[in-house]
Amino acid sequence: MDKITLWRPVGPKELALIEASGWREFPPRLPEQPIFYPVTTRDYAIKIARYWNVRASGAGFVTELEVDAGFLSQYPVETAGGRDHQEYWIPAGELPAFNAAIVGKIRVVDEFGAG
C-alpha cells in the first residue's frame, strides 16, 4: 500500500480527543467546521499551530500521520492562500472514512506555547 504523509495542526482540546482514541483518529468536526483539512507540509502545519492554535487556545501541536494514498486520490490538493499552503479538504461527513484510511498511529511532532 502506498502512503502519503500529512500533518494536522491542533489545539489542546482536539489533541486530548486524539489521545483518547488511542492515537488512531481525529474527532468529529464541530457544526461550524464543515471541512477537515490535513496539510501537505510540516512547515505549513507549524505556521498554523504556532500562530493560530497558540493564539486561540494557548498551545498548538503538529500531528503527523500516514494515509492510504488510494483513499486520498479521490481528493484534489487545494491551495489556500499561496503555493506553500496546500491541504486536502475532507468534508466533515467523510472524516470517519479518512480516519479508517490512517495507517498506524497519529504522532505529535511539534509543540508550541504549552508548558
Side-chain angles (χ1 to χ4, degrees):
M1 164 191 334
D2 290 331
K3 300 175 278 187
I4 295 176
T5 302
L6 298 175
W7 293 263
R8 169 82 180 151
V10 300
K13 289 181 182 178
E14 188 171 357
L15 185 66
L17 294 170
I18 295 166
E19 182 178 16
S21 79
W23 302 100
R24 297 277 183 197
E25 63 184 41
F26 290 91
R29 306 302 291 154
L30 299 173
E32 66 272 14
Q33 300 171 324
I35 302 291
F36 175 78
Y37 60 95
V39 303
T40 63
T41 67
R42 186 173 180 175
D43 286 342
Y44 181 30
I46 287 170
K47 287 178 187 177
I48 297 168
R50 183 180 282 153
Y51 300 112
W52 173 257
N53 294 110
V54 170
R55 286 183 187 159
S57 59
F61 305 88
V62 174
T63 61
E64 182 180 70
L65 58 142
E66 292 182 328
V67 180
D68 177 3
F71 173 82
L72 279 178
S73 69
Q74 65 186 308
Y75 302 97
V77 174
E78 305 287 349
T79 301
R83 64 185 175 99
D84 294 333
H85 299 163
Q86 295 190 320
E87 52 198 42
Y88 286 90
W89 294 353
I90 311 298
E94 297 172 27
L95 184 55
F98 177 89
N99 283 332
I102 294 173
V103 179
K105 292 188 177 185
I106 300 165
R107 302 166 299 282
V108 176
V109 294
D110 294 293
E111 186 175 323
F112 304 97

